[in-house]
Amino acid sequence: AVGDACGHSVQAAFVMTAVRSAMRAVIDDAEANKLDPTVLVAKINRALCRVTAGHQFMSCLVGIIDRKRMVFDYANAGHPVPILYRQGQSISLESHGLPLGILTDAAYSASEVALRGDDLLVLFSDGLLETMNEAEELFRSEGVIAALTATATADPLDDVLEQIWGSCEQHGVGEAQDDRTLLVVRMQQTQGPRPPHHVISSRQTQLSSR
């Protein structure tokens, strides 16, 4: 899971704490092989709406990597879309609904993406994308992709992450105006049959309030 609470200081910390607690409670109540990102996100959203005002929201992406089936199943609640980097090609994944904490009955969908060995999943917060240079140009996802292109797929993950982070730091001017989060995951090839290498399916879940 990767998320970004709106605002700063105590209010943002409260939202983040509430979401972390709700996520742990939902996961603990479910069997590992039956976890569903749409259900997770919908339940966490309802929990956050109960304890916060509408202006205290949070973007969040919750994903499950199935190494046996080689798929990434994820629901994206208003968070910057991840990048799937494969053999020099970058694919921007999808967003599925409102940030958490805005609307109790918000509907969320999910996507399941087939993966290959050596695929890189790159997840980040908007603080990284909105880093600005002297010409007031944002780093954006294009900056992430350019940094990925400058690395070899087989490079150590620390080097890949440092390439992206360093490129962002070089692009920016002065102190960062927002928190920055960067997560890079590399898939290792598994044995056995694999699904087609494209987005397999999307689905939608909505939990009504009571």
Side-chain angles (χ1 to χ4, degrees), residues 52-78:
T52 61
H55 64 277
Q56 293 177 291
F57 58 88
M58 174 177 169
S59 68
C60 186
L61 182 145
V62 176
I64 299 171
I65 295 176
D66 188 329
R67 292 188 297 169
K68 291 183 179 179
R69 297 175 53 230
M70 289 292 283
V71 296
F72 179 50
D73 191 12
Y74 71 100
N76 186 353

Side-chain angles (χ1 to χ4, degrees), residues 21-32 35 40:
S21 298
M23 185 176 298
R24 287 174 177 170
V26 173
I27 291 175
D28 287 345
D29 287 341
E31 295 180 28
L35 287 175
L40 282 171

Side-chain angles (χ1 to χ4, degrees), residues 124-143:
F124 34 74
S125 65
D126 59 4
L128 187 90
L129 303 183
E130 293 174 0
T131 299
M132 190 175 295
N133 63 13
E134 293 180 346
E136 298 186 349
E137 298 169 331
L138 301 179
F139 187 61
R140 303 194 301 175
S141 58
E142 286 80 1

Side-chain angles (χ1 to χ4, degrees), residues 10-166:
V10 177
Q11 285 190 347
F14 173 76
V15 172
M16 183 64 71
T17 300
V19 169
R20 286 169 61 93
S21 298
M23 185 176 298
R24 287 174 177 170
V26 173
I27 291 175
D28 287 345
D29 287 341
E31 295 180 28
N33 62 341
K34 294 182 179 179
L35 287 175
D36 184 330
T38 59
V39 174
L40 282 171
V41 168
K43 286 185 175 181
I44 295 166
N45 175 65
R46 287 180 60 184
L48 187 60
C49 285
R50 290 192 185 104
V51 297
T52 61
H55 64 277
Q56 293 177 291
F57 58 88
M58 174 177 169
S59 68
C60 186
L61 182 145
V62 176
I64 299 171
I65 295 176
D66 188 329
R67 292 188 297 169
K68 291 183 179 179
R69 297 175 53 230
M70 289 292 283
V71 296
F72 179 50
D73 191 12
Y74 71 100
N76 186 353
H79 199 71
V81 295
I83 292 172
L84 171 62
Y85 189 73
R86 173 185 295 160
Q87 296 180 344
Q89 300 296 317
S90 298
I91 303 169
S92 294
L93 303 188
E94 298 180 24
S95 186
H96 299 109
L98 293 172
L100 306 177
I102 296 177
L103 185 63
T104 303
D105 295 334
Y108 296 97
S109 57
S111 295
E112 189 176 79
V113 179
L115 299 170
R116 300 177 184 175
D118 294 328
D119 278 355
L120 292 174
L121 283 171
V122 187
L123 302 94
F124 34 74
S125 65
D126 59 4
L128 187 90
L129 303 183
E130 293 174 0
T131 299
M132 190 175 295
N133 63 13
E134 293 180 346
E136 298 186 349
E137 298 169 331
L138 301 179
F139 187 61
R140 303 194 301 175
S141 58
E142 286 80 1
V144 177
I145 293 170
L148 284 168
T149 304
T151 67
T153 304
D155 284 350
L157 273 182
D158 285 349
D159 292 354
V160 176
L161 190 144
E162 183 57 38
Q163 177 68 31
I164 300 170
W165 193 265

